[in-house]
Amino acid sequence: MLRLRNINSFYGNIQVLKNVNIEISRGEIIALIGANGAGKTTTLMTISGLVPSRSGEITFMGKTIHNMRPDRIVLLGISQVPEGRRIFSYLTVLENLDMGAFLRTDKKNIKKDMEYIFDLFPILGQRRNQVGGTLSGGEQQMLAISRAMMARPALLLLDEPSLGLAPLMVRQIFEIIKKINIENQTTVFLVEQNANLALKAAHRGYVMENGRITLSDSAENLLSNENVRKAYLGL
Ligand SMILES: Nc1ncnc2c1ncn2[C@@H]1O[C@H](COP(=O)(O)OP(=O)(O)OP(=O)(O)O)[C@@H](O)[C@H]1O
Ligand SMILES: [Mg+2]
């Protein structure tokens, strides 16, 4: 479904991604783990077209997307949930969800999709008229995921969904991510510092160090890999 081939991304003249190769098949949950500053967010931003890659190739469902505008990439079926959530604080839950559907042309299905969202996250249904900024951190993360889902993505990019949330909330969010993957056949590319959690939810994973992919394997093998356990699982 998605293939990154020898991707090199820069901020100005500082190179962050170095010959990154990643492949994701339809229906998978893939985890990208790595330390602070490894280049995980930059990888997602490069896929979304927000950071240009200077060389290499990205294809999505057979189309070359690495020179495409971000809004075209969303229309092709890729939605990103940014790190730190970035919901619209002054808009209500409903208005935030509407914004997620902004580029859609099938407006008549939007209401049905909102009902699906409120089924996944009943608390958002109860708080549909509350402004985003007054939601709890966990509810904001739910809203950020929901807003991305309103674009009906084939591929959902999630940047640190567990960041700053209490363990119970984190577990709940991850259950929903798995549910979205199974029920909706949404492919998920998940960036996490919480490697344990991410690898338990994922089918396969990639390890990134200093802008390079240094390891890729099944989630199961990564969880039992001695180096991964020492470096990322604190074991
Ligand atoms: N807009 C920017 N301009 C310049 N450098 C940047 C910019 N954004 C990120 N960087 C640098 O690129 C490198 C990779 O950052 P990135 O945000 O991709 O890391 P990350 O793996 O997501 O880290 P974290 O786990 O802390 O979120 C870092 O050294 C960072 O300082
Ligand atoms: Mg990041």
Side-chain angles (χ1 to χ4, degrees), residues 71-97:
D71 57 321
R72 308 290 307 170
I73 294 174
V74 172
L75 275 172
L76 283 180
I78 300 180
S79 289
Q80 184 175 346
V81 180
E83 192 174 350
R85 308 186 263 275
R86 314 248 192 99
I87 54 151
F88 301 106
S89 305
Y90 296 103
L91 299 185
T92 65
V93 168
L94 279 176
E95 288 165 341
N96 267 277
L97 294 177

PDB file of all heavy atoms in Angstrom, residues 71-97:
ATOM      1  N   ASP A  71      -2.735  18.430   0.568  1.00  0.00           N
ATOM      2  CA  ASP A  71      -4.191  18.234   0.448  1.00  0.00           C
ATOM      3  C   ASP A  71      -4.535  17.159  -0.584  1.00  0.00           C
ATOM      4  O   ASP A  71      -5.514  16.428  -0.433  1.00  0.00           O
ATOM      5  CB  ASP A  71      -4.903  19.561   0.132  1.00  0.00           C
ATOM      6  CG  ASP A  71      -4.393  20.229  -1.128  1.00  0.00           C
ATOM      7  OD1 ASP A  71      -3.169  20.194  -1.369  1.00  0.00           O
ATOM      8  OD2 ASP A  71      -5.203  20.781  -1.899  1.00  0.00           O
ATOM      9  N   ARG A  72      -3.688  17.024  -1.617  1.00  0.00           N
ATOM     10  CA  ARG A  72      -3.900  15.954  -2.600  1.00  0.00           C
ATOM     11  C   ARG A  72      -3.652  14.604  -1.950  1.00  0.00           C
ATOM     12  O   ARG A  72      -4.325  13.622  -2.242  1.00  0.00           O
ATOM     13  CB  ARG A  72      -2.939  16.088  -3.804  1.00  0.00           C
ATOM     14  CG  ARG A  72      -2.905  17.437  -4.474  1.00  0.00           C
ATOM     15  CD  ARG A  72      -4.165  17.747  -5.219  1.00  0.00           C
ATOM     16  NE  ARG A  72      -4.542  16.707  -6.171  1.00  0.00           N
ATOM     17  CZ  ARG A  72      -5.710  16.670  -6.807  1.00  0.00           C
ATOM     18  NH1 ARG A  72      -6.603  17.614  -6.575  1.00  0.00           N
ATOM     19  NH2 ARG A  72      -5.982  15.711  -7.646  1.00  0.00           N
ATOM     20  N   ILE A  73      -2.676  14.566  -1.068  1.00  0.00           N
ATOM     21  CA  ILE A  73      -2.326  13.314  -0.388  1.00  0.00           C
ATOM     22  C   ILE A  73      -3.466  12.889   0.544  1.00  0.00           C
ATOM     23  O   ILE A  73      -3.824  11.712   0.607  1.00  0.00           O
ATOM     24  CB  ILE A  73      -0.967  13.466   0.343  1.00  0.00           C
ATOM     25  CG1 ILE A  73       0.148  13.650  -0.702  1.00  0.00           C
ATOM     26  CG2 ILE A  73      -0.683  12.255   1.241  1.00  0.00           C
ATOM     27  CD1 ILE A  73       1.517  13.954  -0.136  1.00  0.00           C
ATOM     28  N   VAL A  74      -4.077  13.876   1.217  1.00  0.00           N
ATOM     29  CA  VAL A  74      -5.245  13.566   2.065  1.00  0.00           C
ATOM     30  C   VAL A  74      -6.360  12.983   1.196  1.00  0.00           C
ATOM     31  O   VAL A  74      -6.986  11.984   1.540  1.00  0.00           O
ATOM     32  CB  VAL A  74      -5.754  14.826   2.806  1.00  0.00           C
ATOM     33  CG1 VAL A  74      -7.069  14.537   3.527  1.00  0.00           C
ATOM     34  CG2 VAL A  74      -4.716  15.325   3.808  1.00  0.00           C
ATOM     35  N   LEU A  75      -6.583  13.599   0.042  1.00  0.00           N
ATOM     36  CA  LEU A  75      -7.650  13.133  -0.855  1.00  0.00           C
ATOM     37  C   LEU A  75      -7.405  11.711  -1.349  1.00  0.00           C
ATOM     38  O   LEU A  75      -8.341  10.968  -1.594  1.00  0.00           O
ATOM     39  CB  LEU A  75      -7.778  14.077  -2.062  1.00  0.00           C
ATOM     40  CG  LEU A  75      -8.655  15.303  -1.833  1.00  0.00           C
ATOM     41  CD1 LEU A  75      -8.559  16.252  -3.019  1.00  0.00           C
ATOM     42  CD2 LEU A  75     -10.114  14.896  -1.600  1.00  0.00           C
ATOM     43  N   LEU A  76      -6.132  11.332  -1.460  1.00  0.00           N
ATOM     44  CA  LEU A  76      -5.827   9.966  -1.895  1.00  0.00           C
ATOM     45  C   LEU A  76      -6.082   8.951  -0.782  1.00  0.00           C
ATOM     46  O   LEU A  76      -6.142   7.757  -1.027  1.00  0.00           O
ATOM     47  CB  LEU A  76      -4.370   9.858  -2.335  1.00  0.00           C
ATOM     48  CG  LEU A  76      -4.018  10.413  -3.701  1.00  0.00           C
ATOM     49  CD1 LEU A  76      -2.533  10.213  -3.976  1.00  0.00           C
ATOM     50  CD2 LEU A  76      -4.835   9.717  -4.782  1.00  0.00           C
ATOM     51  N   GLY A  77      -6.200   9.439   0.468  1.00  0.00           N
ATOM     52  CA  GLY A  77      -6.554   8.505   1.543  1.00  0.00           C
ATOM     53  C   GLY A  77      -5.563   8.390   2.689  1.00  0.00           C
ATOM     54  O   GLY A  77      -5.549   7.391   3.399  1.00  0.00           O
ATOM     55  N   ILE A  78      -4.731   9.414   2.873  1.00  0.00           N
ATOM     56  CA  ILE A  78      -3.798   9.388   4.009  1.00  0.00           C
ATOM     57  C   ILE A  78      -4.136  10.530   4.964  1.00  0.00           C
ATOM     58  O   ILE A  78      -4.154  11.692   4.563  1.00  0.00           O
ATOM     59  CB  ILE A  78      -2.335   9.541   3.538  1.00  0.00           C
ATOM     60  CG1 ILE A  78      -1.961   8.404   2.580  1.00  0.00           C
ATOM     61  CG2 ILE A  78      -1.384   9.566   4.738  1.00  0.00           C
ATOM     62  CD1 ILE A  78      -0.526   8.471   2.055  1.00  0.00           C
ATOM     63  N   SER A  79      -4.420  10.197   6.223  1.00  0.00           N
ATOM     64  CA  SER A  79      -4.678  11.243   7.230  1.00  0.00           C
ATOM     65  C   SER A  79      -3.699  11.103   8.375  1.00  0.00           C
ATOM     66  O   SER A  79      -3.429   9.999   8.833  1.00  0.00           O
ATOM     67  CB  SER A  79      -6.088  11.118   7.810  1.00  0.00           C
ATOM     68  OG  SER A  79      -7.047  11.495   6.868  1.00  0.00           O
ATOM     69  N   GLN A  80      -3.222  12.243   8.857  1.00  0.00           N
ATOM     70  CA  GLN A  80      -2.250  12.231   9.953  1.00  0.00           C
ATOM     71  C   GLN A  80      -2.859  12.816  11.225  1.00  0.00           C
ATOM     72  O   GLN A  80      -3.518  13.855  11.185  1.00  0.00           O
ATOM     73  CB  GLN A  80      -1.014  13.047   9.543  1.00  0.00           C
ATOM     74  CG  GLN A  80       0.084  13.012  10.589  1.00  0.00           C
ATOM     75  CD  GLN A  80       1.354  13.727  10.146  1.00  0.00           C
ATOM     76  OE1 GLN A  80       1.540  14.034   8.964  1.00  0.00           O
ATOM     77  NE2 GLN A  80       2.231  13.989  11.097  1.00  0.00           N
ATOM     78  N   VAL A  81      -2.624  12.139  12.330  1.00  0.00           N
ATOM     79  CA  VAL A  81      -2.974  12.693  13.639  1.00  0.00           C
ATOM     80  C   VAL A  81      -1.674  13.226  14.232  1.00  0.00           C
ATOM     81  O   VAL A  81      -0.787  12.459  14.585  1.00  0.00           O
ATOM     82  CB  VAL A  81      -3.567  11.617  14.575  1.00  0.00           C
ATOM     83  CG1 VAL A  81      -3.926  12.216  15.926  1.00  0.00           C
ATOM     84  CG2 VAL A  81      -4.786  10.966  13.935  1.00  0.00           C
ATOM     85  N   PRO A  82      -1.539  14.551  14.320  1.00  0.00           N
ATOM     86  CA  PRO A  82      -0.238  15.110  14.694  1.00  0.00           C
ATOM     87  C   PRO A  82       0.119  14.883  16.165  1.00  0.00           C
ATOM     88  O   PRO A  82      -0.754  14.689  17.005  1.00  0.00           O
ATOM     89  CB  PRO A  82      -0.395  16.603  14.407  1.00  0.00           C
ATOM     90  CG  PRO A  82      -1.852  16.862  14.465  1.00  0.00           C
ATOM     91  CD  PRO A  82      -2.526  15.605  14.044  1.00  0.00           C
ATOM     92  N   GLU A  83       1.410  14.921  16.420  1.00  0.00           N
ATOM     93  CA  GLU A  83       1.924  14.860  17.781  1.00  0.00           C
ATOM     94  C   GLU A  83       1.341  16.039  18.567  1.00  0.00           C
ATOM     95  O   GLU A  83       1.240  17.151  18.045  1.00  0.00           O
ATOM     96  CB  GLU A  83       3.452  14.977  17.705  1.00  0.00           C
ATOM     97  CG  GLU A  83       4.191  14.655  18.963  1.00  0.00           C
ATOM     98  CD  GLU A  83       5.715  14.666  18.733  1.00  0.00           C
ATOM     99  OE1 GLU A  83       6.175  14.732  17.582  1.00  0.00           O
ATOM    100  OE2 GLU A  83       6.419  14.597  19.745  1.00  0.00           O
ATOM    101  N   GLY A  84       0.919  15.796  19.789  1.00  0.00           N
ATOM    102  CA  GLY A  84       0.365  16.897  20.581  1.00  0.00           C
ATOM    103  C   GLY A  84      -1.064  17.253  20.193  1.00  0.00           C
ATOM    104  O   GLY A  84      -1.595  18.274  20.610  1.00  0.00           O
ATOM    105  N   ARG A  85      -1.646  16.412  19.315  1.00  0.00           N
ATOM    106  CA  ARG A  85      -3.084  16.443  19.004  1.00  0.00           C
ATOM    107  C   ARG A  85      -3.554  17.610  18.146  1.00  0.00           C
ATOM    108  O   ARG A  85      -4.231  17.406  17.151  1.00  0.00           O
ATOM    109  CB  ARG A  85      -3.918  16.340  20.283  1.00  0.00           C
ATOM    110  CG  ARG A  85      -3.488  15.146  21.114  1.00  0.00           C
ATOM    111  CD  ARG A  85      -4.350  14.929  22.296  1.00  0.00           C
ATOM    112  NE  ARG A  85      -3.816  15.494  23.520  1.00  0.00           N
ATOM    113  CZ  ARG A  85      -2.943  14.874  24.309  1.00  0.00           C
ATOM    114  NH1 ARG A  85      -2.481  13.691  23.983  1.00  0.00           N
ATOM    115  NH2 ARG A  85      -2.536  15.428  25.415  1.00  0.00           N
ATOM    116  N   ARG A  86      -3.228  18.861  18.528  1.00  0.00           N
ATOM    117  CA  ARG A  86      -3.585  20.017  17.683  1.00  0.00           C
ATOM    118  C   ARG A  86      -5.025  20.012  17.179  1.00  0.00           C
ATOM    119  O   ARG A  86      -5.282  20.182  15.984  1.00  0.00           O
ATOM    120  CB  ARG A  86      -2.659  20.085  16.456  1.00  0.00           C
ATOM    121  CG  ARG A  86      -1.226  19.900  16.799  1.00  0.00           C
ATOM    122  CD  ARG A  86      -0.453  21.175  16.576  1.00  0.00           C
ATOM    123  NE  ARG A  86       0.963  20.884  16.653  1.00  0.00           N
ATOM    124  CZ  ARG A  86       1.751  20.701  15.597  1.00  0.00           C
ATOM    125  NH1 ARG A  86       1.274  20.848  14.386  1.00  0.00           N
ATOM    126  NH2 ARG A  86       3.010  20.418  15.760  1.00  0.00           N
ATOM    127  N   ILE A  87      -5.941  19.818  18.067  1.00  0.00           N
ATOM    128  CA  ILE A  87      -7.351  20.002  17.687  1.00  0.00           C
ATOM    129  C   ILE A  87      -7.641  21.502  17.636  1.00  0.00           C
ATOM    130  O   ILE A  87      -6.826  22.311  18.074  1.00  0.00           O
ATOM    131  CB  ILE A  87      -8.300  19.313  18.692  1.00  0.00           C
ATOM    132  CG1 ILE A  87      -7.984  19.806  20.100  1.00  0.00           C
ATOM    133  CG2 ILE A  87      -8.185  17.806  18.613  1.00  0.00           C
ATOM    134  CD1 ILE A  87      -9.154  19.792  20.987  1.00  0.00           C
ATOM    135  N   PHE A  88      -8.796  21.872  17.102  1.00  0.00           N
ATOM    136  CA  PHE A  88      -9.177  23.286  17.080  1.00  0.00           C
ATOM    137  C   PHE A  88      -9.842  23.608  18.415  1.00  0.00           C
ATOM    138  O   PHE A  88     -10.992  23.235  18.653  1.00  0.00           O
ATOM    139  CB  PHE A  88     -10.116  23.579  15.910  1.00  0.00           C
ATOM    140  CG  PHE A  88      -9.512  23.246  14.572  1.00  0.00           C
ATOM    141  CD1 PHE A  88      -9.923  22.128  13.855  1.00  0.00           C
ATOM    142  CD2 PHE A  88      -8.508  24.047  14.025  1.00  0.00           C
ATOM    143  CE1 PHE A  88      -9.357  21.814  12.629  1.00  0.00           C
ATOM    144  CE2 PHE A  88      -7.939  23.745  12.802  1.00  0.00           C
ATOM    145  CZ  PHE A  88      -8.356  22.625  12.104  1.00  0.00           C
ATOM    146  N   SER A  89      -9.120  24.334  19.290  1.00  0.00           N
ATOM    147  CA  SER A  89      -9.557  24.546  20.674  1.00  0.00           C
ATOM    148  C   SER A  89     -10.863  25.315  20.786  1.00  0.00           C
ATOM    149  O   SER A  89     -11.631  25.103  21.712  1.00  0.00           O
ATOM    150  CB  SER A  89      -8.503  25.320  21.451  1.00  0.00           C
ATOM    151  OG  SER A  89      -7.288  24.663  21.376  1.00  0.00           O
ATOM    152  N   TYR A  90     -11.082  26.250  19.863  1.00  0.00           N
ATOM    153  CA  TYR A  90     -12.263  27.122  19.988  1.00  0.00           C
ATOM    154  C   TYR A  90     -13.460  26.592  19.214  1.00  0.00           C
ATOM    155  O   TYR A  90     -14.519  27.193  19.221  1.00  0.00           O
ATOM    156  CB  TYR A  90     -11.914  28.558  19.552  1.00  0.00           C
ATOM    157  CG  TYR A  90     -10.877  29.163  20.454  1.00  0.00           C
ATOM    158  CD1 TYR A  90      -9.547  29.267  20.046  1.00  0.00           C
ATOM    159  CD2 TYR A  90     -11.218  29.571  21.745  1.00  0.00           C
ATOM    160  CE1 TYR A  90      -8.578  29.786  20.896  1.00  0.00           C
ATOM    161  CE2 TYR A  90     -10.255  30.079  22.599  1.00  0.00           C
ATOM    162  CZ  TYR A  90      -8.945  30.194  22.169  1.00  0.00           C
ATOM    163  OH  TYR A  90      -8.002  30.701  23.025  1.00  0.00           O
ATOM    164  N   LEU A  91     -13.280  25.470  18.544  1.00  0.00           N
ATOM    165  CA  LEU A  91     -14.406  24.858  17.831  1.00  0.00           C
ATOM    166  C   LEU A  91     -14.962  23.709  18.661  1.00  0.00           C
ATOM    167  O   LEU A  91     -14.227  23.072  19.428  1.00  0.00           O
ATOM    168  CB  LEU A  91     -13.953  24.326  16.462  1.00  0.00           C
ATOM    169  CG  LEU A  91     -13.387  25.348  15.471  1.00  0.00           C
ATOM    170  CD1 LEU A  91     -13.099  24.653  14.135  1.00  0.00           C
ATOM    171  CD2 LEU A  91     -14.342  26.518  15.264  1.00  0.00           C
ATOM    172  N   THR A  92     -16.240  23.440  18.489  1.00  0.00           N
ATOM    173  CA  THR A  92     -16.859  22.339  19.233  1.00  0.00           C
ATOM    174  C   THR A  92     -16.395  20.991  18.662  1.00  0.00           C
ATOM    175  O   THR A  92     -15.782  20.937  17.581  1.00  0.00           O
ATOM    176  CB  THR A  92     -18.399  22.379  19.124  1.00  0.00           C
ATOM    177  OG1 THR A  92     -18.746  22.148  17.755  1.00  0.00           O
ATOM    178  CG2 THR A  92     -18.964  23.715  19.591  1.00  0.00           C
ATOM    179  N   VAL A  93     -16.741  19.941  19.384  1.00  0.00           N
ATOM    180  CA  VAL A  93     -16.439  18.583  18.919  1.00  0.00           C
ATOM    181  C   VAL A  93     -17.011  18.379  17.513  1.00  0.00           C
ATOM    182  O   VAL A  93     -16.306  17.929  16.597  1.00  0.00           O
ATOM    183  CB  VAL A  93     -17.013  17.548  19.914  1.00  0.00           C
ATOM    184  CG1 VAL A  93     -16.996  16.141  19.333  1.00  0.00           C
ATOM    185  CG2 VAL A  93     -16.235  17.597  21.235  1.00  0.00           C
ATOM    186  N   LEU A  94     -18.277  18.743  17.338  1.00  0.00           N
ATOM    187  CA  LEU A  94     -18.917  18.574  16.024  1.00  0.00           C
ATOM    188  C   LEU A  94     -18.201  19.360  14.937  1.00  0.00           C
ATOM    189  O   LEU A  94     -17.981  18.862  13.831  1.00  0.00           O
ATOM    190  CB  LEU A  94     -20.382  19.027  16.084  1.00  0.00           C
ATOM    191  CG  LEU A  94     -21.390  18.024  16.659  1.00  0.00           C
ATOM    192  CD1 LEU A  94     -22.775  18.662  16.734  1.00  0.00           C
ATOM    193  CD2 LEU A  94     -21.434  16.748  15.831  1.00  0.00           C
ATOM    194  N   GLU A  95     -17.821  20.596  15.276  1.00  0.00           N
ATOM    195  CA  GLU A  95     -17.138  21.428  14.281  1.00  0.00           C
ATOM    196  C   GLU A  95     -15.752  20.867  13.952  1.00  0.00           C
ATOM    197  O   GLU A  95     -15.313  20.898  12.796  1.00  0.00           O
ATOM    198  CB  GLU A  95     -17.023  22.873  14.799  1.00  0.00           C
ATOM    199  CG  GLU A  95     -18.372  23.597  14.810  1.00  0.00           C
ATOM    200  CD  GLU A  95     -18.377  24.880  15.649  1.00  0.00           C
ATOM    201  OE1 GLU A  95     -17.480  25.055  16.512  1.00  0.00           O
ATOM    202  OE2 GLU A  95     -19.287  25.685  15.456  1.00  0.00           O
ATOM    203  N   ASN A  96     -15.062  20.326  14.955  1.00  0.00           N
ATOM    204  CA  ASN A  96     -13.771  19.687  14.704  1.00  0.00           C
ATOM    205  C   ASN A  96     -13.940  18.510  13.738  1.00  0.00           C
ATOM    206  O   ASN A  96     -13.145  18.332  12.821  1.00  0.00           O
ATOM    207  CB  ASN A  96     -13.149  19.193  16.013  1.00  0.00           C
ATOM    208  CG  ASN A  96     -12.207  20.210  16.646  1.00  0.00           C
ATOM    209  OD1 ASN A  96     -11.038  20.300  16.273  1.00  0.00           O
ATOM    210  ND2 ASN A  96     -12.723  20.992  17.581  1.00  0.00           N
ATOM    211  N   LEU A  97     -14.988  17.722  13.969  1.00  0.00           N
ATOM    212  CA  LEU A  97     -15.230  16.562  13.098  1.00  0.00           C
ATOM    213  C   LEU A  97     -15.563  17.020  11.678  1.00  0.00           C
ATOM    214  O   LEU A  97     -15.116  16.420  10.701  1.00  0.00           O
ATOM    215  CB  LEU A  97     -16.345  15.691  13.677  1.00  0.00           C
ATOM    216  CG  LEU A  97     -16.011  15.003  15.009  1.00  0.00           C
ATOM    217  CD1 LEU A  97     -17.219  14.223  15.527  1.00  0.00           C
ATOM    218  CD2 LEU A  97     -14.798  14.076  14.881  1.00  0.00           C
TER     219      LEU A  97
END
